Amino acid sequence: MKNDMTFGPCLKFILNTLNISMSQLAKAINVDSSLVNRWVHEERIPSDIYLTAISDFLGQTDICPIQSKLIDELINSVDSKITKSSIDYRSRYFDLLDIALHNSIRIKNKKSSLSQTYNTCPLPKKEICLSEQDKLIYGFENIYNTFLSLLDTAAHDTDVTDRKIIITYHNDNNISFYTREILRQLVQKLLLAIQNNWQVIFLLQSDINSGKLIEFFGFLLPLMRTEQLSLFYSNSFENQNIRKELYVVSGLGALSCFPSKEGIDCGFLITTACGISVLADYASLLVKNNTSDVIQYYHSDINDMLFSMITDRNRRRGNQYSSNNSLSLQLLPESLYRKYLELTDLNQQQKEQSCSFYAAQYNSFLNSLNSHQYTDIYQTALLERLCDGKVLYLYTCAGARQIIMETDDIILYLEHIIGIIKTCPKYNIAIVYNPLDQIIKSSSFYLRENQILFLGLYNEDKKANVYLSISEPCIIRAFEIYIISLWEKLPLHTKSKPDSIALLEEYIRKLQKDS
């Protein structure tokens, strides 16, 4: 179906997909970055003389298959004829932006014509009552506070049977409103509702930039830990263009909100049962037809599925990034893994399965080091726990098991890690005292480039007790950018191989002295 996407959203989507900043584009076409910013936010409509320069620059950018797919989907949604008549992407960008530019001009002219015919209705200060129960609310803060009051009701309600809270995130213009304190307040309200057996569903836009996406995930971590959060990723260009938001608390109330240039500034509050049902059904339809499910949880009774999937991904090609509250399973010598596996409560079949998975992961790790980068970020606290408390979490097909290691085995373990650092140029390790980021602090993660992200979320005793995976390509790419950026921010001494070896050797000497 053909849509009427205008120039600003079209250019923003292309730039985000190609990981190009507005300042990069401005420099390439020799204009001020503030002008590009006004184009993107539709404060100005560019002259068509800029289309050639923009398209020439974009056409020089190499794109991966995922980016190519996103661009082609956008083109098909705007005008499917573009892909049939154009061979190279430079021509596709030009035709796409040309159509979007004419949409902007047409809509602007239409608005201008309407404004000459009708007088503008002055906005009320807060709300208009549409009936005894339904209202039109103005101001994002008023909308937000109304939503909080619905969450308060949900936290204590005992009557609603279909307990779902649906929240869309299609519009990021109001992001400045969400201070850390406000986000903390929102999380607490949602957690209280979850404790009262409500399920939380987020519908996320597909063109959110990687930085905001990571911030969003940091906000969601406490909700993920409950396993009552579902996250869906929108692939509908129509939703991105309209940018309206829905906040539905089934059986209690719903807000249907509409944006202006400044963001969401008005919304209909519906509290009648039939009205709530209509909006809830619409939200469910969005989820069903225009989204992909992002999160796969692994419950305690299917840990073998998680272990098997990690093993399978380790066999595939690609760089690997990880941060863990325990040293990687791939760094543990096979003799020690087998020794301590025998001390666990696993039955014989589980032990054999764990050994098989371990061998596959370890061999894939060594083979991949010949051609791919491995980057691990650890905290000094885990070395202190291992060397002082002798505690190690042993990962098995039945989940993680806490074990107590012998001192000589810990020394052998650390010496084995030192050997890998010295002999494998493509293995990178950083040992940090304080994590730079909340995600690193409260979770462990394992990411295989362009493939999958595994997360383990910690409980209060720093043991990962909720496991999940994410395979949505755009989210994987955002995490890759995040991890690479995080690595670049680390102090040089924390990621220096000689310094890491010296630190491990210091722990070995301490163990030898105390034994």
Side-chain angles (χ1 to χ4, degrees), residues 77-320:
S77 75
V78 173
D79 192 336
S80 59
K81 295 180 181 179
I82 294 177
T83 56
K84 296 178 181 178
S85 61
S86 303
I87 299 174
D88 62 292
Y89 272 98
R90 184 264 169 209
S91 299
R92 298 184 187 188
Y93 294 137
F94 182 90
D95 292 343
L96 179 60
L97 291 171
D98 184 55
I99 291 173
L101 179 61
H102 282 83
N103 285 340
S104 293
I105 295 172
R106 175 173 53 81
I107 292 173
K108 180 182 178 182
N109 291 339
K110 183 177 180 180
K111 288 180 179 179
S112 176
S113 175
L114 288 173
S115 66
Q116 294 174 10
T117 307
Y118 302 103
N119 293 324
T120 302
C121 178
L123 298 180
K125 292 183 178 180
K126 190 171 181 181
E127 62 188 39
I128 297 174
C129 291
L130 305 178
S131 68
E132 291 183 358
Q133 296 172 296
D134 303 328
K135 303 174 182 178
L136 179 59
I137 300 176
Y138 282 91
F140 186 72
E141 185 174 357
N142 295 325
I143 293 171
Y144 172 76
N145 289 331
T146 302
F147 180 53
L148 288 188
S149 68
L150 291 175
L151 294 180
D152 285 334
T153 304
H156 300 94
D157 178 80
T158 58
D159 298 327
V160 177
T161 54
D162 184 23
R163 300 187 168 213
K164 291 181 181 178
I165 298 169
I166 304 172
I167 306 170
T168 67
Y169 182 24
H170 294 145
N171 193 307
D172 57 14
N173 286 348
N174 297 100
I175 195 68
S176 60
F177 173 81
Y178 288 106
T179 63
R180 288 186 178 181
E181 180 58 30
I182 287 178
L183 286 176
R184 187 194 66 79
Q185 179 190 42
L186 179 57
V187 167
Q188 291 302 315
K189 300 283 188 183
L190 290 170
L191 288 174
L192 288 173
I194 288 173
Q195 290 175 13
N196 197 26
N197 298 316
W198 287 77
Q199 180 188 7
V200 178
I201 300 170
F202 268 93
L203 177 57
L204 184 66
Q205 69 182 29
S206 63
D207 67 341
I208 182 173
N209 69 49
S210 59
K212 290 180 180 177
L213 184 59
I214 295 302
E215 290 178 10
F216 185 72
F217 263 79
F219 152 70
L220 292 179
L221 285 178
L223 305 177
M224 292 181 186
R225 194 174 287 113
T226 68
E227 300 184 57
Q228 294 301 309
L229 171 73
S230 297
L231 182 61
F232 293 90
Y233 196 67
S234 172
N235 49 34
S236 167
F237 294 110
E238 179 183 1
N239 291 339
Q240 295 170 29
N241 199 22
I242 296 175
R243 302 291 185 185
K244 64 183 179 183
E245 304 285 20
L246 288 176
Y247 309 106
V248 179
V249 183
S250 54
L252 299 178
L255 286 154
S256 180
C257 307
F258 300 89
S260 66
K261 289 183 180 180
E262 289 73 30
I264 296 296
D265 61 3
C266 70
F268 290 96
L269 170 64
I270 308 297
T271 55
T272 54
C274 60
I276 298 170
S277 178
V278 167
L279 289 179
D281 289 345
Y282 172 68
S284 298
L285 194 63
L286 285 179
V287 169
K288 180 180 179 181
N289 295 338
N290 301 299
T291 65
S292 55
D293 196 351
V294 171
I295 301 175
Q296 169 68 58
Y297 290 102
Y298 298 91
H299 302 291
S300 57
D301 58 341
I302 56 170
N303 272 302
D304 58 332
M305 182 187 296
L306 172 66
F307 211 56
S308 177
M309 184 174 289
I310 293 176
T311 302
D312 175 66
R313 297 292 174 161
N314 275 336
R315 295 192 182 101
R316 304 186 186 185
R317 301 175 65 84
N319 296 331
Q320 175 180 303

Side-chain angles (χ1 to χ4, degrees), residues 356-499:
S356 175
F357 284 152
Y358 165 82
Q361 289 188 35
Y362 186 74
N363 292 331
S364 298
F365 169 67
L366 294 180
N367 292 332
S368 295
L369 278 175
N370 295 323
S371 54
H372 296 96
Q373 296 284 342
Y374 274 65
T375 302
D376 287 339
I377 301 175
Y378 296 113
Q379 300 176 39
T380 54
L382 75 85
L383 288 174
E384 292 168 2
R385 184 178 64 242
L386 175 64
C387 296
D388 296 338
K390 310 296 188 290
V391 175
L392 178 74
Y393 291 112
L394 191 72
Y395 293 95
T396 75
C397 68
R401 296 293 189 269
Q402 181 177 306
I403 60 172
I404 304 298
M405 293 188 73
E406 298 173 9
T407 300
D408 289 344
D409 289 338
I410 298 174
I411 293 173
L412 179 61
Y413 191 2
L414 297 181
E415 288 175 341
H416 183 70
I417 296 172
I418 290 173
I420 292 176
I421 297 173
K422 287 181 176 180
T423 58
C424 300
K426 292 185 178 296
Y427 179 71
N428 306 303
I429 185 171
I431 304 175
V432 299
Y433 180 73
N434 284 319
L436 297 177
D437 188 273
Q438 181 62 29
I439 294 179
I440 295 288
K441 185 177 181 180
S442 58
S443 68
S444 61
F445 67 79
Y446 159 84
L447 187 146
R448 196 74 170 186
E449 184 181 31
N450 296 328
Q451 295 180 35
I452 200 162
L453 169 71
F454 293 99
L455 277 175
L457 305 180
Y458 301 150
N459 56 20
E460 292 182 356
D461 63 2
K462 286 293 182 179
K463 180 180 177 182
N465 64 334
V466 174
Y467 296 94
L468 57 94
S469 67
I470 297 169
S471 55
E472 171 61 44
C474 291
I475 296 178
I476 299 300
R477 178 55 183 160
F479 267 88
E480 289 175 12
I481 295 171
Y482 157 71
I483 295 167
I484 293 170
S485 173
L486 189 65
W487 178 267
E488 292 173 349
K489 293 177 184 177
L490 293 175
L492 289 177
H493 69 276
T494 65
K495 54 187 177 184
S496 159
K497 287 193 173 185
D499 286 343

Side-chain angles (χ1 to χ4, degrees), residues 345-364:
D345 59 349
L346 275 65
N347 61 41
Q348 190 58 36
Q349 181 181 354
Q350 290 173 324
K351 290 176 181 178
E352 291 175 359
Q353 189 178 18
S354 295
C355 284
S356 175
F357 284 152
Y358 165 82
Q361 289 188 35
Y362 186 74
N363 292 331
S364 298

